[in-house]
Amino acid sequence: MHQIRTYPDPVLRKKAQPVLEIDDDLHQLVDEMVDIMYNDDGIGLAANQAGDLRRVIVLDAGDGFRAFINPEIINKNDNEVVMEEGCLSFPGIHINISRPSEVTVKAMDLEGESIEITVDGLLAKVFQHEIDHLNGILIIDYASPLHRSLLKRKLEKIEKASTD
Ligand code: NI
């Protein structure tokens, strides 16, 4: 069983690289990611969080998991909404993040077929959160300096747990 990578694991700050081939190894990575996501009751996970640097995300908004390979946001609306976000790599931390309420994502599925979907609400947030991970961007990056200083102790706790 693979473990979720938590702050301050350096892999979370790395930029994941495009997938060039959908092979058995990639399917295995997706299986591991789905295991981690369900094991930790998450609704989305990026490969970095499984310690891998391929551009892959998985998510489950309640109707089974889906994997998205090389996902990119190709369109977003001008209407930003604030939603509280958590992250499996930052247990116990929640941050209000303002993001476009609707995005169009282009990706490949596990069969190598091109997908393009437009989503809003929670799913729009999850896609943006997970694609951030692939670029090494984390929820704490959205916290104000004041909020970040208030989170200091919680972050130290997560850091200590990850090295125990
Ligand atoms: Ni996350």
Side-chain angles (χ1 to χ4, degrees):
M1 177 70 205
H2 279 64
Q3 288 252 314
I4 179 89
R5 301 296 185 99
T6 54
Y7 172 86
D9 192 314
V11 75
L12 297 174
R13 281 299 186 192
K14 299 237 166 80
K15 199 171 152 77
Q17 300 303 309
V19 171
L20 302 175
E21 201 184 348
I22 296 174
D23 52 13
D24 287 350
D25 197 60
L26 188 88
H27 280 266
Q28 197 184 327
L29 170 64
V30 167
D31 287 346
E32 286 166 9
M33 288 170 65
V34 170
D35 278 351
I36 292 172
M37 176 173 73
Y38 287 146
N39 198 47
D40 289 1
D41 289 324
I43 54 174
L45 198 86
N48 309 49
Q49 295 176 281
D52 194 284
L53 287 172
R54 279 172 281 183
R55 297 188 78 81
V56 180
I57 62 173
V58 293
L59 52 91
D60 185 346
D63 51 0
F65 83 85
R66 287 185 78 181
F68 297 85
I69 319 294
N70 299 336
E72 43 175 327
I73 292 166
I74 56 168
N75 204 5
K76 51 193 178 190
N77 68 355
D78 296 329
N79 177 34
E80 292 218 348
V81 287
V82 177
M83 218 184 261
E84 193 182 63
E85 295 182 30
C87 179
L88 296 179
S89 295
F90 290 87
I93 286 185
H94 294 91
I95 293 176
N96 285 323
I97 301 180
S98 177
R99 301 185 192 269
S101 64
E102 187 181 285
V103 292
T104 301
V105 177
K106 192 181 157 195
M108 258 186 322
D109 67 15
L110 278 173
E111 279 71 51
E113 300 291 330
S114 184
I115 321 169
E116 202 176 296
I117 53 167
T118 298
V119 290
D120 60 8
L122 179 63
L123 261 185
K125 291 289 188 174
V126 176
F127 269 110
Q128 291 174 86
H129 178 118
E130 304 310 338
I131 291 171
D132 269 358
H133 271 300
L134 299 179
N135 294 321
I137 297 167
L138 302 170
I139 54 170
I140 48 169
D141 301 341
Y142 293 91
S144 65
L146 174 65
H147 191 190
R148 214 191 277 213
S149 69
L150 292 172
L151 289 171
K152 202 165 170 253
R153 189 171 290 178
K154 273 190 180 173
L155 287 172
E156 282 169 0
K157 238 168 113 179
I158 296 170
E159 189 165 351
K160 190 170 178 302
S162 78
T163 52
D164 277 352

